[in-house]
Amino acid sequence: MEQVKERLQKVMAAAGVASRRECEKIILAGRVQVNGAAVTELGTRVGPRDRVMVDGKPLHRKTLRKTYLLYKPRGVVTTMKDPQGRRTVADLMAGLRQRLYPVGRLDYQTEGLLLMTNDGELAQHLTHPSHHVDKTYEVEVKGRVPEEKLDVLRLGVPLEDGLTSPAGVVYVKKWDPERNLTRFTVTIHEGRNRQVRRMCDFIGFPVKSLKRIQVGSLTLEGMKKGEFRELTPEEIASLEAQVE
């Protein structure tokens, strides 16, 4: 199997040598060797089997970073353990060796796309409010929702923890008369607790079902409830580019 290679300065920073910028200076100063050869190029990439020495000492790497996309079903708790004995996201991924943690949360009754990782730096960046990573939800509510109500969501909703940022809202089905349901998508970049549900409560149309269908460029395409897959290096790079 081909090694997954990462930039040398990134590997050094993950191992706790210094910040990424400082690691770049260390490389440029000729203080790093890879497989016995001095390296001074910042574009150098290394894999798990490459031997890295810094100032003559071997680099002790931390656990290989892994990030997975999980299709969380309803009725699953976004925690690693639940004192009430309910099924957790950890139960869904019990076959993996890595100890993973959820990036953000989806509440018990919400299904959809959830990232699981052991990459603390990536998780912190993705959940920090200063990084505007779009998250799209498919919402279903009872009744016929008029356009002016959705305009309230688009402009911002005054919740108890402050005004929400403007949301992108698009009808999926304006109204299903047989089921008396309206379906639409809401795209936000904030991560407040139960935000979409509270926004819909404010306009007088409580959520009947809620599903997160996209985070950044990641979607649930080809996946079934309860399934998970590892992100590709290209998908990781795309996420990192959004939070740099």
Side-chain angles (χ1 to χ4, degrees):
M1 182 181 293
E2 184 179 354
Q3 294 188 68
V4 176
K5 297 199 171 188
E6 294 185 292
R7 287 170 293 170
L8 177 57
Q9 60 266 39
K10 186 175 180 181
V11 171
M12 291 168 58
V17 173
S19 70
R20 202 175 300 184
R21 289 182 182 275
E22 287 300 316
C23 288
E24 291 176 351
K25 295 178 182 177
I26 293 172
I27 294 169
L28 292 172
R31 295 164 54 188
V32 182
Q33 290 183 321
V34 176
N35 299 326
V39 171
T40 56
E41 294 290 332
L42 295 182
T44 301
R45 291 179 174 268
V46 295
R49 292 191 293 274
D50 290 317
R51 293 180 292 107
V52 180
M53 306 280 284
V54 179
D55 293 331
K57 298 179 181 179
L59 183 74
H60 297 292
R61 306 191 196 190
K62 296 183 179 179
T63 304
L64 186 64
R65 290 178 292 179
K66 295 281 188 177
T67 302
Y68 292 82
L69 188 159
L70 169 67
Y71 187 163
K72 185 189 97 67
R74 293 179 64 181
V76 174
V77 186
T78 309
T79 57
M80 305 311 291
K81 293 183 180 179
D82 182 59
Q84 300 179 37
R86 294 172 296 182
R87 192 162 58 146
T88 70
V89 291
D91 295 329
L92 296 176
M93 308 185 74
L96 296 177
R97 294 180 180 180
Q98 297 87 10
R99 184 170 177 80
L100 303 169
Y101 300 90
V103 180
R105 302 177 71 86
L106 288 179
D107 66 49
Y108 186 67
Q109 293 298 337
T110 299
E111 65 178 86
L113 195 161
L114 181 69
L115 294 177
M116 301 286 294
T117 189
N118 61 2
D119 187 340
E121 182 181 6
L122 178 63
Q124 183 179 13
H125 286 168
L126 286 172
T127 55
H128 196 279
S130 65
H131 299 296
H132 293 179
V133 179
D134 284 343
K135 296 173 281 289
T136 300
Y137 298 78
E138 188 173 88
V139 186
E140 194 172 68
V141 301
K142 278 285 188 184
R144 189 172 191 169
V145 184
E147 189 76 43
E148 56 267 26
K149 290 288 186 178
L150 298 186
D151 283 341
V152 175
L153 304 183
R154 295 183 178 112
L155 293 173
V157 177
L159 301 178
E160 61 272 16
D161 51 354
L163 184 70
T164 65
S165 296
V169 183
V170 179
Y171 278 118
V172 175
K173 191 173 186 62
K174 285 196 173 184
W175 185 50
D176 181 344
E178 292 185 3
R179 300 173 63 207
N180 190 28
L181 294 173
T182 300
R183 190 180 303 123
F184 53 92
T185 61
V186 175
T187 300
I188 59 176
H189 61 254
E190 299 170 290
R192 305 191 200 185
N193 184 41
R194 304 182 80 252
Q195 180 174 337
V196 174
R197 292 184 184 275
R198 291 190 290 146
M199 291 168 67
C200 291
D201 285 343
F202 180 85
I203 63 171
F205 288 89
V207 168
K208 184 177 184 293
S209 69
L210 185 62
K211 176 181 178 181
R212 184 155 70 189
I213 59 175
Q214 188 165 350
V215 173
S217 59
L218 300 172
T219 70
L220 294 170
E221 183 179 1
M223 298 186 67
K224 299 178 181 178
K225 295 177 185 179
E227 289 185 341
F228 59 88
R229 66 171 181 83
E230 187 174 356
L231 296 190
T232 66
E234 292 76 18
E235 289 172 328
I236 293 289
S238 176
L239 282 177
E240 291 178 335
Q242 293 179 69
V243 296
E244 285 183 349

